[in-house]
Amino acid sequence: MANLIDEISKRRTFAIISHPDAGKTTLTEKLLLFGGAIHVAGAVKSNKIRKTATSDWMEIEKQRGISVATSVMGFNYGDYKINILDTPGHQDFAEDTYRTLTAVDSVIIVVDVAKGVEQQTRKLMEVCRMRNTPVIIFVNKLDREGRDPFDILDELETELKINVRPLSWPINIGAKFKGVYNIYEHGLDLFQPDKQKVTERVEIKDINDPLIDASVGETDAQKLRDDLELIEGVYPEFDVNTYLSGKVAPVFFGSALNTFGVKELLDCFVRIAPAPRPVQAEERIVNPDEPAFSGFVFKIHANMDPNHRSCIAFVKVCSGVFKRNFNYKHMRSGKLMKFSAPTAFMAQKKDVVDEAYPGDIVGIPDTGNFKIGDTLTEGEDLHYKGLPSFSPEMFKYIENEDPMKTKQLNKGVEQLMDEGVAQLFVNQFNGRKIIGTVGQLQFEVIQYRLLHEYGAQCRWEPIRLYKACWIESDDEAELKAFKSRKHQYMALDRDGRDVFLADSGYVLQMAQSDFPKIRFHFTSEF
Ligand code: G4P
């Protein structure tokens, strides 16, 4: 068995996040290219990396051309073992992305230089901030006309609420884009539009090297020197520990499509990004180098074969060594389980593995034992904390279309909720079931999957709701009074907790001022 500490220090487990179309897929593909996991850029169609190895897992992906699932791509780069956790491109599946962020040690955010920070990126950054996840930002599409890089930096700081520190700097942009100066390694990378080849590096002594003038012309060389002087004046020296604590985000500029600036990003990433870190369980902090295995399920990828209700539970190894055919305790049920065919994800392929180390993701074939957030250990009672559920944005009543299939519908709804596809609330007043989602598409997915995987037909009925808030109070009488006043709008979540369904922002505001002793929470953990 390999040395555990060595294996841990080699691991870099991260996710790339962005607003749709900023270039996440393209960047992922280029990283895989450097890792030798694929050989020709463009071999994997954009947005579409996941389509090769993983898409037959869910028919719906083929149907809609949108990857609903989150998969994992592992590859080796130099001495490092890199695991990229892919996240769904479509924002209606943001909840999936939030969960994936519980399993990564760091994040790369891709921003389009023309569009700047977009809504989805802002939201995802909030999740990173909640967990102090270290973040590197890649400003993409420098080959296209875009915004002034200083403006972009300002926007990153204000919109993402994080300090930034450029580690590379562009020389012009769009048609006049000439390359980037690598502040981190002090090199000049000249831009040649090419989708296959890697950047040409000009070795220079320092920023005053006349080679820069010879390479990009005197005017641009002078502008670059002025810009860099300004940067050094405005932004504090880059400090790895500040980055690791999630307080500053280094920024790189490049063009993923042209494989430009990507290698620089990757080289810096493997050096500064964290190896698997200690994880907070409810009981205690667990160090990755503890010998006993522990891990948690962050994603359930459903029903590769609709005829057998099979799915894959994605387990993040947090400590020790995960072994095939070894008895592990499934904390929620208290049962011992062993896994004969766990898979690892290397270079877009799934292979059965005998062991996996902290930072790795193992796929465990499952027939409905697992729920998102379940912990596995060698025996110790540990519960890893997942990410809280956020109040959904959209709500609909779910109704049964086929009375003969009530059982199937109920089971399907339960299992889809276990997978974390959406949230279920039961109205206490009329007993009707309400499904809450982040986007419209999730309703379609649920309907489709209920039919194809459970043979159940559902119908959606409108309900006008603004937010679901979890409520609590130390004042029993006030809580009781509130619940009776709002009895038509009270529901229970799946854990039996009280949820107030506010139908407008105004109603919520009134409720908050009328019942000052009640705490209203917009996430399920408080
Ligand atoms: P996403 O996963 O974040 O949604 O974005 P994706 O990589 O699919 O990229 C979105 C579009 O932006 C793609 O074009 C892609 O080729 C383009 N793109 C990515 N990086 C760069 C870049 O550095 N420069 C330029 N100019 N374009 C870039 P598309 O036309 O939507 O898709 P495709 O037909 O090229 O596949």
Side-chain angles (χ1 to χ4, degrees), residues 2 21-22 25 77 100 120 129 149 175 187 209 270 273 278 317 346 406 434 460 481 505 514:
D21 265 354
T25 312
Y77 182 69
T100 298
Q120 186 68 4
R129 207 173 315 107
D209 197 319
V270 292
V317 180
M346 279 299 282
T406 308
I434 298 165
W460 301 110
D514 288 353

Side-chain angles (χ1 to χ4, degrees), residues 300-311:
I300 293 176
H301 198 151
N303 301 51
M304 276 80 69
D305 176 357
N307 298 321
H308 307 95
R309 204 156 289 134
S310 60
C311 46

Side-chain angles (χ1 to χ4, degrees), residues 340-404:
S340 58
T343 51
F345 304 86
M346 279 299 282
Q348 298 180 271
K349 286 203 310 273
K350 306 194 280 126
D351 287 314
V352 171
V353 271
D354 290 319
E355 16 189 72
Y357 295 92
D360 286 341
I361 311 298
V362 272
I364 297 180
D366 178 42
T367 47
N369 290 312
F370 288 115
K371 267 195 199 185
I372 300 257
D374 282 358
T375 304
L376 290 171
T377 71
E378 284 189 18
E380 184 182 347
D381 283 348
L382 279 180
H383 296 84
Y384 284 109
K385 290 194 203 162
L387 193 72
S389 304
F390 297 92
S391 170
E393 316 263 331
M394 300 175 84
F395 301 85
K396 284 181 189 186
Y397 283 122
I398 182 164
E399 298 295 344
N400 189 3
E401 272 285 74
D402 180 354
M404 305 295 288

Side-chain angles (χ1 to χ4, degrees), residues 142 149 168-173 177 179-181 223-224 227 253:
L142 267 283
S168 78
W169 195 252
I171 302 165
N172 296 331
I173 189 167
F177 181 52
V180 296
Y181 183 79
K223 167 97 174 41
L224 174 66
D227 283 355
F253 293 84

Side-chain angles (χ1 to χ4, degrees), residues 447-480:
Q447 194 165 29
Y448 178 94
R449 289 190 52 191
L450 284 172
L451 184 63
H452 287 258
E453 295 165 24
Y454 300 89
Q457 275 183 316
C458 77
R459 178 180 81 239
W460 301 110
E461 299 253 316
I463 173 171
R464 227 195 56 182
L465 288 179
Y466 165 69
K467 280 238 174 337
C469 341
W470 285 264
I471 56 162
E472 57 161 1
S473 177
D474 301 326
D475 187 328
E476 277 300 320
E478 180 145 333
L479 197 59
K480 213 169 145 215

Side-chain angles (χ1 to χ4, degrees), residues 144-300:
R144 287 223 207 133
E145 298 308 324
R147 311 242 304 268
D148 178 80
F150 281 112
D151 284 353
I152 288 281
L153 292 182
D154 285 349
E155 186 174 307
L156 291 171
E157 288 204 328
T158 43
E159 295 284 322
L160 298 182
K161 301 193 184 78
I162 186 165
N163 293 324
V164 296
R165 181 30 159 129
L167 287 187
S168 78
W169 195 252
I171 302 165
N172 296 331
I173 189 167
K176 292 198 206 121
F177 181 52
K178 290 192 178 158
V180 296
Y181 183 79
N182 189 324
I183 301 173
Y184 186 64
E185 289 175 336
H186 294 287
L188 180 68
D189 297 322
L190 294 178
F191 177 63
Q192 289 167 317
D194 193 319
K195 294 182 184 158
Q196 309 284 341
K197 272 203 315 233
V198 184
T199 320
E200 182 194 335
R201 165 66 58 97
V202 180
E203 294 302 334
I204 49 170
K205 283 202 306 291
D206 57 36
I207 184 65
N208 293 316
D209 197 319
L211 251 179
I212 301 181
D213 301 66
S215 307
V216 302
E218 272 176 37
T219 319
D220 286 333
Q222 193 48 48
K223 167 97 174 41
L224 174 66
R225 289 181 187 115
D226 294 345
D227 283 355
L228 290 178
E229 204 179 306
L230 191 60
I231 289 168
E232 299 309 324
V234 172
Y235 298 98
E237 193 71 21
F238 174 65
D239 172 53
V240 175
N241 290 323
T242 320
Y243 154 71
L244 290 174
S245 61
K247 299 282 180 283
V248 69
V251 180
F252 287 83
F253 293 84
S255 166
L257 187 65
N258 292 291
T259 327
F260 186 78
V262 176
K263 187 165 186 301
E264 292 68 21
L265 172 76
L266 181 59
D267 285 339
C268 177
F269 169 80
V270 292
R271 264 199 268 164
I272 67 171
R277 303 201 282 180
V279 187
Q280 176 76 54
E282 270 168 33
E283 293 78 2
R284 64 184 183 88
I285 292 178
V286 181
N287 280 306
D289 58 3
E290 292 179 20
F293 159 76
S294 67
F296 68 93
V297 176
F298 68 94
K299 163 83 192 163
I300 293 176

